[in-house]
Amino acid sequence: MIDLEKKEDEQQKQTVEQRSGLRELFELFSLTGFVYGPLDSRLNIREALEKNLKKPVPPHVNWLFCFGGISLFLFTIQAVTGILLLMYYRPTIAEAYKSVVYITNSVPFGWLIRGLHHWGANLMIVMVFLHMLRVFFYGAYKPPRDFNWVTGVMLLVLTLGFGFTGYLLPWNQISYWATTVGTEVPGAVPFIGTYLTALIRGGQAIGQTTLTRFFAIHVVILPLTIGFFLLGHFFMIRKQGISGPF
Amino acid sequence: MIDEAKEDRRAEGDPFFPHHMLEQGMVIFIVLGVLVLLVMMWPAPMEPPADPFNTPEHIKPEWYFLSAYQGLKVAEYFAFLGDWAPKVLGILGQGVGILLLILLPFLDRNPERHPRKRRFVIGVGILVIIMLAALTIWGKLS
């Protein structure tokens, strides 16, 4: 009896709230209300969220499986700090070094943002490598995950590409001369070597064209390409699931 | 009842939210802490500005390119084959290395996944890791 009365009370309350429209208004403006209300009725958000959040993680997953996730986290750190650096960095041979000094010494927390980008890059390469070693020793690259291994190697190459192109951008002694030596390497390719080096440098020597080129590759071309491969990598993980125990 | 539920969970694993998400959150905060600590203890270096007319004595790439750099130097020992040999062999070796890495799942057709049941591939992998580490240290010291 008491339960029934309670239920009736609640129903009455709800109708009063609905009549006032306040609750609906509140739910619409609060994120949960919007996501679970109008958006859910169109896109089935609730079902998708529950399916994804309640998906069981197999019990054999141990701490060795965390390197891929850490790599993704470091990638987002690189994206965010990179965008913030873009606000002050100037990609010309006259201004690049000065702008980096300005970022480090004068921009509020500029030292922190630049430091995070610097150390995040180094740590990301470590984590990507550890992730690859885990996948290798667990034999997780075998079918049906063979194509995901291929996207993974592409992600490794792209990460190294980020490292190589980003290294030149501060336009200091080490970056200038390391890039001079590094861009000589493709010159050893038979027949087309000299053309390759000229293509990468945008001329015979490292100069403004090289800096512009590396800047464009570092902030536009590589992020777009790595985004494409990341999506493929994650869709395949989601579809095929985490690899089982041995 | 409770035991059954526990058994079920053990067989299937904990749900992603909140169990696994909490663990991932902890790992991410540890990584963020390590990053900030690194930045504060060893700030990003401020080298002298680029000078095209002043070549430094020792030019070395970042640590993650050191093995490739030292590999190219090792290829110079093949100079006895001709002038073309060191450079072409060095870059060919690196290209083939990346190609083999991409093709690994198609070359290794052994369906076994336990490391003890695929000694050859694991052995080659460990050899490659030792080689890369040795080249990196050699490149750092030379």
PDB file of all heavy atoms in Angstrom, chain A residues 156-186:
ATOM      1  N   LEU A 156      54.391   4.145 -36.316  1.00  0.00           N
ATOM      2  CA  LEU A 156      55.770   4.293 -35.827  1.00  0.00           C
ATOM      3  C   LEU A 156      56.573   5.176 -36.772  1.00  0.00           C
ATOM      4  O   LEU A 156      57.263   6.113 -36.343  1.00  0.00           O
ATOM      5  CB  LEU A 156      56.435   2.920 -35.693  1.00  0.00           C
ATOM      6  CG  LEU A 156      57.936   2.924 -35.409  1.00  0.00           C
ATOM      7  CD1 LEU A 156      58.221   3.358 -33.991  1.00  0.00           C
ATOM      8  CD2 LEU A 156      58.555   1.562 -35.667  1.00  0.00           C
ATOM      9  N   VAL A 157      56.466   4.903 -38.094  1.00  0.00           N
ATOM     10  CA  VAL A 157      57.211   5.686 -39.079  1.00  0.00           C
ATOM     11  C   VAL A 157      56.770   7.153 -39.032  1.00  0.00           C
ATOM     12  O   VAL A 157      57.592   8.072 -39.066  1.00  0.00           O
ATOM     13  CB  VAL A 157      57.004   5.097 -40.495  1.00  0.00           C
ATOM     14  CG1 VAL A 157      57.594   6.012 -41.549  1.00  0.00           C
ATOM     15  CG2 VAL A 157      57.637   3.718 -40.580  1.00  0.00           C
ATOM     16  N   LEU A 158      55.452   7.378 -38.909  1.00  0.00           N
ATOM     17  CA  LEU A 158      54.943   8.748 -38.858  1.00  0.00           C
ATOM     18  C   LEU A 158      55.433   9.463 -37.593  1.00  0.00           C
ATOM     19  O   LEU A 158      55.783  10.650 -37.638  1.00  0.00           O
ATOM     20  CB  LEU A 158      53.412   8.746 -38.891  1.00  0.00           C
ATOM     21  CG  LEU A 158      52.799   8.383 -40.250  1.00  0.00           C
ATOM     22  CD1 LEU A 158      51.311   8.104 -40.118  1.00  0.00           C
ATOM     23  CD2 LEU A 158      53.026   9.515 -41.240  1.00  0.00           C
ATOM     24  N   THR A 159      55.475   8.730 -36.459  1.00  0.00           N
ATOM     25  CA  THR A 159      55.974   9.324 -35.220  1.00  0.00           C
ATOM     26  C   THR A 159      57.422   9.757 -35.381  1.00  0.00           C
ATOM     27  O   THR A 159      57.810  10.859 -34.960  1.00  0.00           O
ATOM     28  CB  THR A 159      55.850   8.316 -34.059  1.00  0.00           C
ATOM     29  OG1 THR A 159      54.515   7.816 -34.036  1.00  0.00           O
ATOM     30  CG2 THR A 159      56.156   8.956 -32.734  1.00  0.00           C
ATOM     31  N   LEU A 160      58.233   8.886 -36.028  1.00  0.00           N
ATOM     32  CA  LEU A 160      59.631   9.258 -36.278  1.00  0.00           C
ATOM     33  C   LEU A 160      59.698  10.457 -37.222  1.00  0.00           C
ATOM     34  O   LEU A 160      60.560  11.325 -37.071  1.00  0.00           O
ATOM     35  CB  LEU A 160      60.391   8.061 -36.865  1.00  0.00           C
ATOM     36  CG  LEU A 160      60.618   6.899 -35.895  1.00  0.00           C
ATOM     37  CD1 LEU A 160      61.222   5.704 -36.612  1.00  0.00           C
ATOM     38  CD2 LEU A 160      61.517   7.326 -34.748  1.00  0.00           C
ATOM     39  N   GLY A 161      58.768  10.511 -38.192  1.00  0.00           N
ATOM     40  CA  GLY A 161      58.707  11.657 -39.112  1.00  0.00           C
ATOM     41  C   GLY A 161      58.422  12.946 -38.360  1.00  0.00           C
ATOM     42  O   GLY A 161      59.021  13.994 -38.639  1.00  0.00           O
ATOM     43  N   PHE A 162      57.507  12.871 -37.387  1.00  0.00           N
ATOM     44  CA  PHE A 162      57.242  14.034 -36.526  1.00  0.00           C
ATOM     45  C   PHE A 162      58.528  14.473 -35.833  1.00  0.00           C
ATOM     46  O   PHE A 162      58.850  15.657 -35.776  1.00  0.00           O
ATOM     47  CB  PHE A 162      56.204  13.676 -35.460  1.00  0.00           C
ATOM     48  CG  PHE A 162      54.783  13.965 -35.849  1.00  0.00           C
ATOM     49  CD1 PHE A 162      53.877  12.939 -36.054  1.00  0.00           C
ATOM     50  CD2 PHE A 162      54.357  15.264 -35.992  1.00  0.00           C
ATOM     51  CE1 PHE A 162      52.563  13.207 -36.398  1.00  0.00           C
ATOM     52  CE2 PHE A 162      53.050  15.545 -36.327  1.00  0.00           C
ATOM     53  CZ  PHE A 162      52.146  14.511 -36.535  1.00  0.00           C
ATOM     54  N   GLY A 163      59.267  13.483 -35.302  1.00  0.00           N
ATOM     55  CA  GLY A 163      60.506  13.798 -34.602  1.00  0.00           C
ATOM     56  C   GLY A 163      61.511  14.475 -35.520  1.00  0.00           C
ATOM     57  O   GLY A 163      62.131  15.466 -35.152  1.00  0.00           O
ATOM     58  N   PHE A 164      61.648  13.945 -36.748  1.00  0.00           N
ATOM     59  CA  PHE A 164      62.647  14.466 -37.686  1.00  0.00           C
ATOM     60  C   PHE A 164      62.303  15.885 -38.134  1.00  0.00           C
ATOM     61  O   PHE A 164      63.163  16.766 -38.156  1.00  0.00           O
ATOM     62  CB  PHE A 164      62.747  13.531 -38.894  1.00  0.00           C
ATOM     63  CG  PHE A 164      63.839  13.901 -39.849  1.00  0.00           C
ATOM     64  CD1 PHE A 164      65.167  13.796 -39.463  1.00  0.00           C
ATOM     65  CD2 PHE A 164      63.551  14.360 -41.129  1.00  0.00           C
ATOM     66  CE1 PHE A 164      66.184  14.148 -40.323  1.00  0.00           C
ATOM     67  CE2 PHE A 164      64.564  14.711 -41.999  1.00  0.00           C
ATOM     68  CZ  PHE A 164      65.881  14.606 -41.597  1.00  0.00           C
ATOM     69  N   THR A 165      61.030  16.123 -38.513  1.00  0.00           N
ATOM     70  CA  THR A 165      60.651  17.447 -39.023  1.00  0.00           C
ATOM     71  C   THR A 165      60.593  18.467 -37.891  1.00  0.00           C
ATOM     72  O   THR A 165      60.967  19.633 -38.079  1.00  0.00           O
ATOM     73  CB  THR A 165      59.295  17.392 -39.734  1.00  0.00           C
ATOM     74  OG1 THR A 165      58.344  16.751 -38.883  1.00  0.00           O
ATOM     75  CG2 THR A 165      59.388  16.645 -41.038  1.00  0.00           C
ATOM     76  N   GLY A 166      60.139  18.036 -36.696  1.00  0.00           N
ATOM     77  CA  GLY A 166      60.029  18.979 -35.590  1.00  0.00           C
ATOM     78  C   GLY A 166      61.380  19.439 -35.083  1.00  0.00           C
ATOM     79  O   GLY A 166      61.506  20.535 -34.544  1.00  0.00           O
ATOM     80  N   TYR A 167      62.396  18.604 -35.295  1.00  0.00           N
ATOM     81  CA  TYR A 167      63.732  18.901 -34.789  1.00  0.00           C
ATOM     82  C   TYR A 167      64.316  20.161 -35.428  1.00  0.00           C
ATOM     83  O   TYR A 167      65.071  20.897 -34.788  1.00  0.00           O
ATOM     84  CB  TYR A 167      64.638  17.698 -35.061  1.00  0.00           C
ATOM     85  CG  TYR A 167      65.834  17.596 -34.157  1.00  0.00           C
ATOM     86  CD1 TYR A 167      65.687  17.623 -32.779  1.00  0.00           C
ATOM     87  CD2 TYR A 167      67.115  17.462 -34.680  1.00  0.00           C
ATOM     88  CE1 TYR A 167      66.774  17.529 -31.952  1.00  0.00           C
ATOM     89  CE2 TYR A 167      68.213  17.371 -33.852  1.00  0.00           C
ATOM     90  CZ  TYR A 167      68.043  17.399 -32.496  1.00  0.00           C
ATOM     91  OH  TYR A 167      69.124  17.303 -31.672  1.00  0.00           O
ATOM     92  N   LEU A 168      63.950  20.419 -36.701  1.00  0.00           N
ATOM     93  CA  LEU A 168      64.531  21.578 -37.410  1.00  0.00           C
ATOM     94  C   LEU A 168      63.893  22.899 -36.955  1.00  0.00           C
ATOM     95  O   LEU A 168      64.521  23.953 -37.017  1.00  0.00           O
ATOM     96  CB  LEU A 168      64.341  21.404 -38.927  1.00  0.00           C
ATOM     97  CG  LEU A 168      64.886  22.535 -39.797  1.00  0.00           C
ATOM     98  CD1 LEU A 168      66.396  22.563 -39.754  1.00  0.00           C
ATOM     99  CD2 LEU A 168      64.406  22.410 -41.236  1.00  0.00           C
ATOM    100  N   LEU A 169      62.628  22.835 -36.523  1.00  0.00           N
ATOM    101  CA  LEU A 169      61.837  24.058 -36.328  1.00  0.00           C
ATOM    102  C   LEU A 169      62.451  25.098 -35.386  1.00  0.00           C
ATOM    103  O   LEU A 169      62.335  26.286 -35.660  1.00  0.00           O
ATOM    104  CB  LEU A 169      60.410  23.703 -35.900  1.00  0.00           C
ATOM    105  CG  LEU A 169      59.645  22.827 -36.901  1.00  0.00           C
ATOM    106  CD1 LEU A 169      58.198  22.671 -36.482  1.00  0.00           C
ATOM    107  CD2 LEU A 169      59.708  23.393 -38.321  1.00  0.00           C
ATOM    108  N   PRO A 170      63.127  24.719 -34.266  1.00  0.00           N
ATOM    109  CA  PRO A 170      63.720  25.774 -33.421  1.00  0.00           C
ATOM    110  C   PRO A 170      64.861  26.520 -34.113  1.00  0.00           C
ATOM    111  O   PRO A 170      65.290  27.558 -33.633  1.00  0.00           O
ATOM    112  CB  PRO A 170      64.247  25.008 -32.198  1.00  0.00           C
ATOM    113  CG  PRO A 170      63.567  23.701 -32.221  1.00  0.00           C
ATOM    114  CD  PRO A 170      63.275  23.395 -33.646  1.00  0.00           C
ATOM    115  N   TRP A 171      65.350  25.978 -35.244  1.00  0.00           N
ATOM    116  CA  TRP A 171      66.388  26.644 -36.046  1.00  0.00           C
ATOM    117  C   TRP A 171      67.621  26.982 -35.226  1.00  0.00           C
ATOM    118  O   TRP A 171      68.121  28.102 -35.246  1.00  0.00           O
ATOM    119  CB  TRP A 171      65.816  27.914 -36.711  1.00  0.00           C
ATOM    120  CG  TRP A 171      66.599  28.316 -37.908  1.00  0.00           C
ATOM    121  CD1 TRP A 171      67.420  29.406 -38.021  1.00  0.00           C
ATOM    122  CD2 TRP A 171      66.651  27.660 -39.178  1.00  0.00           C
ATOM    123  NE1 TRP A 171      67.993  29.454 -39.274  1.00  0.00           N
ATOM    124  CE2 TRP A 171      67.531  28.399 -39.999  1.00  0.00           C
ATOM    125  CE3 TRP A 171      66.061  26.504 -39.707  1.00  0.00           C
ATOM    126  CZ2 TRP A 171      67.829  28.024 -41.314  1.00  0.00           C
ATOM    127  CZ3 TRP A 171      66.343  26.145 -41.005  1.00  0.00           C
ATOM    128  CH2 TRP A 171      67.227  26.909 -41.792  1.00  0.00           C
ATOM    129  N   ASN A 172      68.128  25.980 -34.464  1.00  0.00           N
ATOM    130  CA  ASN A 172      69.381  26.189 -33.739  1.00  0.00           C
ATOM    131  C   ASN A 172      70.497  25.358 -34.390  1.00  0.00           C
ATOM    132  O   ASN A 172      70.239  24.617 -35.356  1.00  0.00           O
ATOM    133  CB  ASN A 172      69.213  25.863 -32.251  1.00  0.00           C
ATOM    134  CG  ASN A 172      68.690  24.457 -32.026  1.00  0.00           C
ATOM    135  OD1 ASN A 172      69.096  23.527 -32.700  1.00  0.00           O
ATOM    136  ND2 ASN A 172      67.774  24.310 -31.086  1.00  0.00           N
ATOM    137  N   GLN A 173      71.695  25.493 -33.868  1.00  0.00           N
ATOM    138  CA  GLN A 173      72.863  24.831 -34.470  1.00  0.00           C
ATOM    139  C   GLN A 173      72.636  23.333 -34.668  1.00  0.00           C
ATOM    140  O   GLN A 173      72.816  22.814 -35.767  1.00  0.00           O
ATOM    141  CB  GLN A 173      74.095  25.032 -33.576  1.00  0.00           C
ATOM    142  CG  GLN A 173      74.957  26.228 -33.908  1.00  0.00           C
ATOM    143  CD  GLN A 173      75.598  26.185 -35.272  1.00  0.00           C
ATOM    144  OE1 GLN A 173      74.906  26.329 -36.285  1.00  0.00           O
ATOM    145  NE2 GLN A 173      76.910  26.010 -35.330  1.00  0.00           N
ATOM    146  N   ILE A 174      72.255  22.654 -33.575  1.00  0.00           N
ATOM    147  CA  ILE A 174      72.111  21.198 -33.657  1.00  0.00           C
ATOM    148  C   ILE A 174      71.039  20.817 -34.653  1.00  0.00           C
ATOM    149  O   ILE A 174      71.212  19.919 -35.484  1.00  0.00           O
ATOM    150  CB  ILE A 174      71.805  20.632 -32.252  1.00  0.00           C
ATOM    151  CG1 ILE A 174      73.061  20.725 -31.388  1.00  0.00           C
ATOM    152  CG2 ILE A 174      71.324  19.202 -32.353  1.00  0.00           C
ATOM    153  CD1 ILE A 174      72.941  20.038 -30.072  1.00  0.00           C
ATOM    154  N   SER A 175      69.892  21.528 -34.609  1.00  0.00           N
ATOM    155  CA  SER A 175      68.807  21.144 -35.509  1.00  0.00           C
ATOM    156  C   SER A 175      69.213  21.403 -36.958  1.00  0.00           C
ATOM    157  O   SER A 175      68.938  20.601 -37.846  1.00  0.00           O
ATOM    158  CB  SER A 175      67.523  21.882 -35.153  1.00  0.00           C
ATOM    159  OG  SER A 175      67.587  23.241 -35.502  1.00  0.00           O
ATOM    160  N   TYR A 176      69.908  22.508 -37.200  1.00  0.00           N
ATOM    161  CA  TYR A 176      70.330  22.833 -38.563  1.00  0.00           C
ATOM    162  C   TYR A 176      71.283  21.774 -39.114  1.00  0.00           C
ATOM    163  O   TYR A 176      71.085  21.229 -40.201  1.00  0.00           O
ATOM    164  CB  TYR A 176      71.013  24.213 -38.579  1.00  0.00           C
ATOM    165  CG  TYR A 176      71.454  24.652 -39.961  1.00  0.00           C
ATOM    166  CD1 TYR A 176      70.611  25.399 -40.764  1.00  0.00           C
ATOM    167  CD2 TYR A 176      72.723  24.320 -40.452  1.00  0.00           C
ATOM    168  CE1 TYR A 176      71.011  25.803 -42.030  1.00  0.00           C
ATOM    169  CE2 TYR A 176      73.131  24.723 -41.707  1.00  0.00           C
ATOM    170  CZ  TYR A 176      72.278  25.459 -42.493  1.00  0.00           C
ATOM    171  OH  TYR A 176      72.666  25.848 -43.741  1.00  0.00           O
ATOM    172  N   TRP A 177      72.301  21.431 -38.333  1.00  0.00           N
ATOM    173  CA  TRP A 177      73.328  20.519 -38.857  1.00  0.00           C
ATOM    174  C   TRP A 177      72.877  19.068 -38.830  1.00  0.00           C
ATOM    175  O   TRP A 177      73.244  18.289 -39.719  1.00  0.00           O
ATOM    176  CB  TRP A 177      74.646  20.715 -38.106  1.00  0.00           C
ATOM    177  CG  TRP A 177      75.259  22.031 -38.492  1.00  0.00           C
ATOM    178  CD1 TRP A 177      75.263  23.179 -37.766  1.00  0.00           C
ATOM    179  CD2 TRP A 177      75.894  22.340 -39.734  1.00  0.00           C
ATOM    180  NE1 TRP A 177      75.865  24.193 -38.472  1.00  0.00           N
ATOM    181  CE2 TRP A 177      76.269  23.705 -39.685  1.00  0.00           C
ATOM    182  CE3 TRP A 177      76.190  21.609 -40.891  1.00  0.00           C
ATOM    183  CZ2 TRP A 177      76.918  24.340 -40.739  1.00  0.00           C
ATOM    184  CZ3 TRP A 177      76.841  22.245 -41.932  1.00  0.00           C
ATOM    185  CH2 TRP A 177      77.197  23.596 -41.850  1.00  0.00           C
ATOM    186  N   ALA A 178      72.058  18.708 -37.831  1.00  0.00           N
ATOM    187  CA  ALA A 178      71.524  17.340 -37.827  1.00  0.00           C
ATOM    188  C   ALA A 178      70.615  17.140 -39.036  1.00  0.00           C
ATOM    189  O   ALA A 178      70.604  16.072 -39.650  1.00  0.00           O
ATOM    190  CB  ALA A 178      70.754  17.071 -36.542  1.00  0.00           C
ATOM    191  N   THR A 179      69.846  18.173 -39.394  1.00  0.00           N
ATOM    192  CA  THR A 179      68.977  18.055 -40.560  1.00  0.00           C
ATOM    193  C   THR A 179      69.803  18.029 -41.849  1.00  0.00           C
ATOM    194  O   THR A 179      69.464  17.320 -42.797  1.00  0.00           O
ATOM    195  CB  THR A 179      67.974  19.225 -40.593  1.00  0.00           C
ATOM    196  OG1 THR A 179      67.299  19.266 -39.342  1.00  0.00           O
ATOM    197  CG2 THR A 179      66.971  19.051 -41.709  1.00  0.00           C
ATOM    198  N   THR A 180      70.914  18.795 -41.869  1.00  0.00           N
ATOM    199  CA  THR A 180      71.799  18.745 -43.038  1.00  0.00           C
ATOM    200  C   THR A 180      72.285  17.314 -43.272  1.00  0.00           C
ATOM    201  O   THR A 180      72.217  16.789 -44.391  1.00  0.00           O
ATOM    202  CB  THR A 180      73.014  19.675 -42.829  1.00  0.00           C
ATOM    203  OG1 THR A 180      72.534  20.985 -42.550  1.00  0.00           O
ATOM    204  CG2 THR A 180      73.903  19.710 -44.059  1.00  0.00           C
ATOM    205  N   VAL A 181      72.745  16.675 -42.170  1.00  0.00           N
ATOM    206  CA  VAL A 181      73.239  15.307 -42.291  1.00  0.00           C
ATOM    207  C   VAL A 181      72.088  14.351 -42.625  1.00  0.00           C
ATOM    208  O   VAL A 181      72.209  13.480 -43.494  1.00  0.00           O
ATOM    209  CB  VAL A 181      73.939  14.878 -40.977  1.00  0.00           C
ATOM    210  CG1 VAL A 181      74.345  13.419 -41.037  1.00  0.00           C
ATOM    211  CG2 VAL A 181      75.168  15.744 -40.740  1.00  0.00           C
ATOM    212  N   GLY A 182      70.946  14.543 -41.949  1.00  0.00           N
ATOM    213  CA  GLY A 182      69.820  13.630 -42.143  1.00  0.00           C
ATOM    214  C   GLY A 182      69.254  13.666 -43.552  1.00  0.00           C
ATOM    215  O   GLY A 182      68.875  12.634 -44.103  1.00  0.00           O
ATOM    216  N   THR A 183      69.233  14.865 -44.167  1.00  0.00           N
ATOM    217  CA  THR A 183      68.670  14.955 -45.514  1.00  0.00           C
ATOM    218  C   THR A 183      69.672  14.499 -46.572  1.00  0.00           C
ATOM    219  O   THR A 183      69.312  14.350 -47.737  1.00  0.00           O
ATOM    220  CB  THR A 183      68.218  16.393 -45.830  1.00  0.00           C
ATOM    221  OG1 THR A 183      69.256  17.304 -45.451  1.00  0.00           O
ATOM    222  CG2 THR A 183      66.946  16.747 -45.091  1.00  0.00           C
ATOM    223  N   GLU A 184      70.920  14.259 -46.147  1.00  0.00           N
ATOM    224  CA  GLU A 184      71.891  13.687 -47.095  1.00  0.00           C
ATOM    225  C   GLU A 184      71.630  12.196 -47.300  1.00  0.00           C
ATOM    226  O   GLU A 184      72.004  11.629 -48.322  1.00  0.00           O
ATOM    227  CB  GLU A 184      73.311  13.878 -46.559  1.00  0.00           C
ATOM    228  CG  GLU A 184      73.977  15.146 -47.056  1.00  0.00           C
ATOM    229  CD  GLU A 184      75.239  15.463 -46.271  1.00  0.00           C
ATOM    230  OE1 GLU A 184      75.802  14.547 -45.640  1.00  0.00           O
ATOM    231  OE2 GLU A 184      75.658  16.630 -46.282  1.00  0.00           O
ATOM    232  N   VAL A 185      70.998  11.556 -46.301  1.00  0.00           N
ATOM    233  CA  VAL A 185      70.811  10.102 -46.349  1.00  0.00           C
ATOM    234  C   VAL A 185      70.043   9.660 -47.601  1.00  0.00           C
ATOM    235  O   VAL A 185      70.497   8.767 -48.316  1.00  0.00           O
ATOM    236  CB  VAL A 185      70.135   9.601 -45.060  1.00  0.00           C
ATOM    237  CG1 VAL A 185      69.793   8.124 -45.166  1.00  0.00           C
ATOM    238  CG2 VAL A 185      71.043   9.850 -43.872  1.00  0.00           C
ATOM    239  N   PRO A 186      68.873  10.256 -47.903  1.00  0.00           N
ATOM    240  CA  PRO A 186      68.154   9.803 -49.118  1.00  0.00           C
ATOM    241  C   PRO A 186      68.964  10.051 -50.388  1.00  0.00           C
ATOM    242  O   PRO A 186      68.655   9.455 -51.427  1.00  0.00           O
ATOM    243  CB  PRO A 186      66.860  10.624 -49.119  1.00  0.00           C
ATOM    244  CG  PRO A 186      66.881  11.497 -47.950  1.00  0.00           C
ATOM    245  CD  PRO A 186      68.113  11.278 -47.179  1.00  0.00           C
TER     246      PRO A 186
END
